[in-house]
Structures are given as C-alpha cells and as structure tokens.
Amino acid sequence: MAAAPPEAPAGAAAARRLARGCWSAFWDYETPKVIVVRNRRLGVVYRAVQLLILLYFVWYVFVVQKSYQDSETGPESSVITKVKGITASRHKVWDVEEYVKPPEGGSVFSIITRIEVTPFQTLGKCPESIKVHSATCHSDSDCVAGELDMLGNGLRTGRCVPYYFGTSKTCEVSGWCPVEDGASVSQFLGKMAPNFTILIKNSIHYPKFQFSKGNLASRKDDYLKRCTFDHVSDPYCPIFKLGFIVEQAGENFTELAHRGGVIGAIINWDCDLDLSASECNPKYSFRRLDPKHVPASSGYNFRFAKYYKINGTTTRTLIKAYGIRIDVIVHGQVHPAGSREVQPDSHHH
C-alpha cells in the first residue's frame, strides 16, 4: 500500500492563494455600476453645471484670457520727467530749480508747496526745542551736561535757560542755533502750483517678444510745446498739470499742498499682439499712496540746508519742505499672437 503524500504546509497554501488573487486582479476587468435616476429637474441641473464649466473654459479661459497663449508681465521701463512753471511766496519768486527735488528728472520726485524756514543758523549755544522729550526744565539740575538726545538738536551743556518765547525754560544745547522750532517762518508756494506742467516720458520693452513702444507722439513739429494730455484727443501727449493729477487722485489741492503727500502716477501697458500695434496704448491713473487717514504716517516733508558765510562765519538756512511727491509706477503685460511670429520692427511706435 502506497504511502499518502505529505500535506503541504499551511503557509505554502496561503502563498498560492495570494498569487492567484494577484494574477486575477491583474487580468480581470472591473467597471462600476451605473444607476440611472429618471428625474427631469436633477438632469437639467446636472447638464447646466456641465455647460457652465464648458463655457468657463472655452469663453473665459481661452477667448477672454487667452490662456493658451504665452504672455509676459513686468516690462523693462525707462522714465524721464520734467516739470515747468514758476510760483511766488510772500517774499520771492520760485522757479523749477528751487522747488523740484531732486532735479535729475527721475521716476520719483517732489514738488515743494510749503516751507518752514529757519534763517541765520550758526554753530553756538541756545535753548533746545520745547518739542523734544525731556527738554523742559526748571533748574540746571534738570539738565545733564554732555547728554545727547538722538531726536534733539545738539549736545546739552547742563544749563537751564529761558525759551525763545513765553515763560518756559529748556535745557541749553550746543549745535546749530537758533533751533528750528524757535525761529522758523512758514511760506506757502502752492498758489500757482496747480498750473505746473509735468512731462512723463516713458518707454517700455518686453524682451521675450522683442516688443517696444513709447508714450510720446512721433511728430517733428512743436506739438509737445502746445499740448496737454487727453485720453481721447491727445493720448500721446504725456504732459499733465499738477492740479489735474491731484484732482484725478481725488484729493483737495490746498490741503495736500499744506501737509504734503505722495501720489502714484500709474502707467499700464496691457497689449494684445493679435491687434495692431497702434492699439497698444498706455493707460494712466493716479491715486494717493500715503495713508491720509492715519495722522502719524500721512503727509510728506523733508529737510535740507543752504550754507553760506557772513563775515567769515559759516551760516546756514534750514528749510523744512512740505510737498507733493510723485511716484511714477509702470506695469503691464503683453499677449502675443497665437501662432504668428513677432516681428520686432513692426511694433515700434
């Protein structure tokens, strides 16, 4: 009688079942069950959602946004500015060389509209400004000799002296005297400032598509000497009156000229190369950039001094200038034609 074959170990049987399962999963084809719900309202909603998704991609993404095309944002840009006009304060006539800072004609410049002048400052000893923290005193013991306040106007001598006016006393300092708050005189330059003209010359270049254009009319006559900007009749005469810029920014000119402020002159070049290059036109907008509703950070002012000698003594006039700062900001994007090759020379203005 033949002996019965030995039974396979339980582990080997489990391995064979696992192998058969793996091969079955590899070769078998599965499909989910579909349940048809016969409900007209639900069917209409389902098809409407599909239609909206299709319209979004076909109409908005491809037709409006032209997302199938390549694009380029952030053009290379050059800005040159020039201000013209004269104005007068109570004591003198001011020309461009005096009220425009800096004079180089860059993309950021300031037009001075009010000044507080402290004349005839010389190096010496005088009362500290009453506006400086801890400057008020009653006796010499309140003033520490050699102390230097970073927000003050000089080095303290240790003496408590009468202020420039009134009955108060402040610590004496060694520095440029008299200090600003003790002898400053305010002068308003903004009377004629709304009529100042500002030329903003801008050229842009999109290197990816070799597309270049400028915002000046290519005319050889004296057109630029007699035109001002109009978005319909004179879009390529980028000469703006300061009053027009402030008005477009929604500001009151007198208030802005008194406290100062920052206005952004924004030039947007959004060009579609499917159209003629003549359709690629700059769009201008203006808005206030400094937070005028936050008193601590609204307004704009800066200081500078003019030095000279009187009888061999170095003297200076300190000027705290309030003005309207113009920041020219250029941005945009270009959408090239779908399949045609861009010809650089055909797009220059």
Side-chain angles (χ1 to χ4, degrees):
M1 184 174 181
E7 294 184 1
R16 285 195 295 271
R17 286 195 298 272
L18 180 61
R20 285 196 297 269
C22 290
W23 280 107
S24 176
F26 181 78
W27 292 110
D28 291 350
Y29 174 75
E30 296 181 0
T31 180
K33 293 181 179 180
V34 177
I35 300 176
V36 178
V37 179
R38 298 185 179 279
N39 185 305
R40 181 174 297 178
R41 180 177 299 176
L42 186 60
V44 169
V45 171
Y46 176 67
R47 297 303 179 189
V49 171
Q50 286 183 322
L51 181 61
L52 287 175
I53 294 174
L54 183 63
L55 286 175
Y56 170 77
F57 280 100
V58 173
W59 178 75
Y60 182 75
V61 175
F62 289 98
V63 177
V64 177
Q65 295 293 323
K66 297 185 178 181
S67 298
Y68 62 91
Q69 297 180 350
D70 197 0
S71 63
E72 184 178 6
T73 60
E76 297 175 349
S77 174
S78 170
V79 174
I80 299 174
T81 58
K82 182 180 292 186
V83 182
K84 289 187 177 181
I86 60 172
T87 188
S89 63
R90 183 184 303 175
H91 304 289
K92 61 175 288 188
V93 174
W94 297 73
D95 58 13
V96 174
E97 286 72 19
E98 293 184 286
Y99 65 73
V100 174
K101 303 290 182 181
E104 288 83 6
S107 60
V108 178
F109 60 95
S110 302
I111 297 176
I112 299 172
T113 51
R114 184 172 72 89
I115 59 174
E116 292 180 356
V117 181
T118 306
F120 306 116
Q121 281 190 324
T122 57
L123 290 171
K125 298 177 181 180
C126 56
E128 176 63 283
S129 168
I130 203 169
K131 295 181 180 180
V132 175
H133 177 67
S134 73
T136 303
C137 60
H138 298 285
S139 64
D140 291 350
S141 61
D142 297 327
C143 303
V144 179
E147 189 176 55
L148 187 64
D149 192 322
M150 289 295 105
L151 300 179
N153 294 279
L155 190 70
R156 293 187 179 179
T157 64
R159 297 180 58 212
C160 182
V161 295
Y163 198 55
Y164 299 94
F165 48 82
T167 58
S168 299
K169 289 184 176 182
T170 60
C171 293
E172 185 182 61
V173 293
S174 175
W176 287 99
C177 295
V179 298
E180 182 179 60
D181 299 316
S184 62
V185 178
S186 179
Q187 299 181 35
F188 187 68
L189 286 64
K191 183 177 180 180
M192 301 299 295
N195 294 319
F196 293 168
T197 59
I198 303 172
L199 167 67
I200 303 177
K201 182 180 178 181
N202 176 224
S203 299
I204 57 102
H205 177 65
Y206 289 97
K208 189 173 184 179
F209 302 100
Q210 293 299 301
F211 180 89
S212 300
K213 198 168 184 183
N215 68 339
L216 286 175
S218 55
R219 297 171 55 168
K220 296 182 179 180
D221 57 10
D222 60 350
Y223 171 69
L224 288 177
K225 294 182 179 180
R226 53 182 173 81
C227 70
T228 53
F229 174 80
D230 184 276
H231 72 280
V232 176
S233 62
D234 295 285
Y236 281 89
C237 175
I239 298 177
F240 307 88
K241 286 191 175 182
L242 182 59
F244 172 82
I245 291 176
V246 173
E247 179 185 351
Q248 291 294 302
E251 298 298 321
N252 177 277
F253 191 91
T254 302
E255 179 182 340
L256 189 66
H258 184 78
R259 295 199 59 196
V262 182
I263 291 182
I266 303 163
I267 309 176
N268 182 31
W269 293 88
D270 195 354
C271 303
D272 186 349
L273 298 187
D274 283 332
L275 306 176
S276 168
S278 62
E279 298 297 320
C280 175
N281 298 316
K283 295 180 176 61
Y284 301 91
S285 59
F286 306 92
R287 65 184 180 90
R288 180 86 176 262
L289 297 181
D290 63 305
K292 65 177 180 179
H293 299 300
V294 183
S297 54
S298 66
Y300 175 71
N301 65 77
F302 59 95
R303 291 173 174 82
F304 63 96
K306 296 182 177 180
Y307 295 85
Y308 48 94
K309 284 186 178 291
I310 297 180
N311 297 326
T313 301
T314 300
T315 308
R316 78 175 190 181
T317 297
L318 178 64
I319 300 174
K320 182 179 181 181
Y322 296 81
I324 301 173
R325 194 179 95 171
I326 306 293
D327 289 20
V328 182
I329 303 169
V330 182
H331 60 77
Q333 60 181 343
V334 64
H335 305 281
S339 59
R340 72 180 166 94
E341 183 179 354
V342 177
Q343 300 296 329
D345 294 338
S346 65
H347 298 295
H348 285 271
H349 175 72

